[in-house]
Amino acid sequence: MAGGGWVATHLDVTEQRRSEAKITHMAQHDALTDLPNRVLLRERMEHAIAVTRNGGVDLAVLMLDLDRFKEVNDTLGHPAGDSLLRAVAARLRECTTETALIARLGGDEFAVIDYVTNPAVEAAGLAESIGRALCEPFDLGDHRVTVGTSIGIAIAPRDGSDSDVIMKSADLALYSAKSGGRGAYRFFEPELDELMHARRNLEHDMRDALADRQFELHYQPFVSAATGETRGFEALLRWHHPQRGLVTPSEFIPLAEETGLIVPLGEWVLRTACAEAANWPAHVRIAINLSPAQFRSKELVAVIVGALASSGVAPHRLELEVTETVIMHDSEAAFAVLGQLRELGVRVALDDFGTGYSSLSFLQRFPFDKIKIDRSFVSELSSPSAEAHHLARAVVRFAVSLGKITTAEGVETKEQLDILREEGCVETQGYYFSRPMPASSITSMLRRGAEAAYHAA
């Protein structure tokens, strides 16, 4: 009896220890990939950073973000997204050394840490190896997807003396890599901290700007290529900051997109543009760009209906310009929204034609009313390079052949206008006719007419 009791007690203690070990493992590891989580990463980093203080070795900290994970999740569903994350974890194990620690921080964020003696060479080499591994296609059973990654790199103790600081430095470098385009890696630089501080200040000011009515719309006409008659205006957002002066759209639009402020800002643009267009002749249209974040908003159609109703502008006078970026993240839902807009009588234009890969498939699936030829092709119409000229002309000719209304953006010279007119382009837009102007200038401009510029040509 005594011996049996000892065995039972021993087994109970062993089972308890196993349970405790399992609980500890679960607390320190990601359930989906079984990689260390943020808790264990921070613990290991503190130890590794302590080692670097003795000199002779540094710690490279790489923060990773998958470039097109949301697209996979939205189009193929969460099970496919989970399969992709597990496959990414497996690839990371394959392309790193045994001394490296790989962690999943949540979502599509991963981290890799490893000792290095020559950071500029070894950390860059590790980032390039990871980048190559993750840009190869992933086989998810019924689907084959390609994602890629952006990577931020910080080196301890140079860029931080504890885990929180070094992770912040790597995160700032990651933000810089993502801002520079997909598939890039960046090392942390002290200037990034200043840039992030400036970004936070700009975001704070932008939130105040909408409430304080610092935004204004300017309008650039699009005119008939045949007669020079003004057919409509594109609404362009301007921000007059009380201290900064004029803040360019390239500075604040990406930030508005990233923070979600573009949704209330876009609603303001729709309502304001329609209200101001109500004062124009009934044949003059108003064109407004829709951002990806606006397009994902469930309130978009209701906002458009409200803007038209409150202004009294007829639906056919409103043109909504979308790029394929707006559509591609969740194409089925996007085409459903486009269909609702068409049912309202609103016109839909495909913007930046010629710059993407999927424009033709989009044109087959949805009857766009207009195609806007990107300004990069229009500028090449007057290029001294024969190859560039012929390519640009071919893009224009192809767009016209599709039988839609074609608008060429960025017309700046008589030569470009003559070629566009010769190729059958219906509408043109650019500094050759007019720079963007405030609403107060439109009445006199319409009275004077863009025909003056056209005939002067």
Side-chain angles (χ1 to χ4, degrees), residues 283-340:
H283 68 279
V284 178
R285 303 194 300 274
I286 176 66
I288 300 172
N289 292 279
L290 289 182
S291 74
Q294 276 180 280
F295 211 75
R296 290 193 295 270
S297 170
K298 295 180 180 179
E299 305 300 321
L300 176 62
V301 175
V303 167
I304 292 169
V305 169
L308 291 172
S310 61
S311 65
V313 169
H316 71 270
R317 290 181 60 197
L318 176 61
E319 289 184 356
L320 298 174
E321 299 182 0
V322 299
T323 63
E324 68 174 50
T325 304
V326 169
I327 305 169
M328 67 187 300
H329 291 296
D330 190 353
S331 58
E332 294 305 322
F335 282 117
V337 173
L338 290 175
Q340 288 180 274

Side-chain angles (χ1 to χ4, degrees), residues 71-335:
E71 182 181 331
V72 173
N73 233 15
D74 289 348
T75 57
L76 303 182
H78 291 291
D82 289 347
S83 295
L84 175 59
L85 292 172
R86 285 191 289 266
V88 167
R91 291 255 182 108
L92 289 174
R93 292 187 182 101
E94 292 169 3
C95 68
T96 53
T97 65
E98 291 183 0
T99 59
L101 175 72
I102 308 163
R104 182 185 174 213
L105 306 181
D108 62 333
E109 287 186 285
F110 293 82
V112 177
I113 66 171
D114 202 359
Y115 291 113
V116 292
T117 55
N118 186 341
V121 174
E122 294 171 52
L126 178 57
E128 289 169 0
S129 176
I130 291 172
R132 285 193 300 270
L134 298 190
C135 74
E136 291 295 322
F138 288 88
D139 190 349
L140 304 182
D142 295 336
H143 302 281
R144 190 174 170 85
V145 302
T146 303
V147 285
T149 186
S150 299
I151 303 173
I153 308 171
I155 306 298
R158 183 186 71 194
D159 300 327
S161 56
D162 62 53
S163 60
D164 288 335
V165 173
I166 198 68
M167 287 181 72
K168 177 189 173 186
S169 298
D171 207 34
L172 287 171
L174 174 60
Y175 178 79
S176 175
K178 290 163 68 174
S179 299
R182 291 173 172 172
Y185 69 86
R186 295 284 187 276
F187 280 88
F188 171 78
E189 298 173 357
E191 294 79 8
L192 292 178
D193 213 1
E194 297 173 15
L195 290 173
M196 185 57 66
H197 183 69
R199 176 185 175 276
R200 283 194 292 267
N201 287 340
L202 186 65
E203 179 184 345
H204 179 270
D205 288 354
M206 188 163 48
R207 292 182 186 277
D208 292 340
L210 190 55
D212 296 344
R213 300 184 178 182
Q214 295 172 17
F215 289 105
E216 180 185 4
L217 291 181
H218 282 205
Y219 298 89
Q220 187 173 37
F222 46 91
V223 305
S224 166
T227 66
E229 176 191 8
T230 300
R231 299 175 66 133
F233 292 87
E234 180 181 358
L236 301 168
L237 191 59
R238 298 290 183 263
W239 179 10
H240 295 279
H241 191 282
Q243 283 80 42
R244 301 170 186 262
L246 183 64
V247 184
T248 64
S250 62
E251 291 180 79
F252 71 85
I253 292 294
L255 181 58
E257 281 274 1
E258 186 178 331
T259 59
L261 285 172
I262 196 68
V263 175
L265 192 53
E267 180 176 347
W268 179 86
V269 170
L270 278 161
R271 294 187 182 280
T272 304
C274 286
E276 293 182 336
N279 300 315
W280 307 343
H283 68 279
V284 178
R285 303 194 300 274
I286 176 66
I288 300 172
N289 292 279
L290 289 182
S291 74
Q294 276 180 280
F295 211 75
R296 290 193 295 270
S297 170
K298 295 180 180 179
E299 305 300 321
L300 176 62
V301 175
V303 167
I304 292 169
V305 169
L308 291 172
S310 61
S311 65
V313 169
H316 71 270
R317 290 181 60 197
L318 176 61
E319 289 184 356
L320 298 174
E321 299 182 0
V322 299
T323 63
E324 68 174 50
T325 304
V326 169
I327 305 169
M328 67 187 300
H329 291 296
D330 190 353
S331 58
E332 294 305 322
F335 282 117

Side-chain angles (χ1 to χ4, degrees), residues 380-395:
E380 295 291 1
L381 291 174
S382 49
S383 170
S385 166
E387 183 178 350
H389 172 87
H390 290 314
L391 174 61
R393 197 157 185 154
V395 170

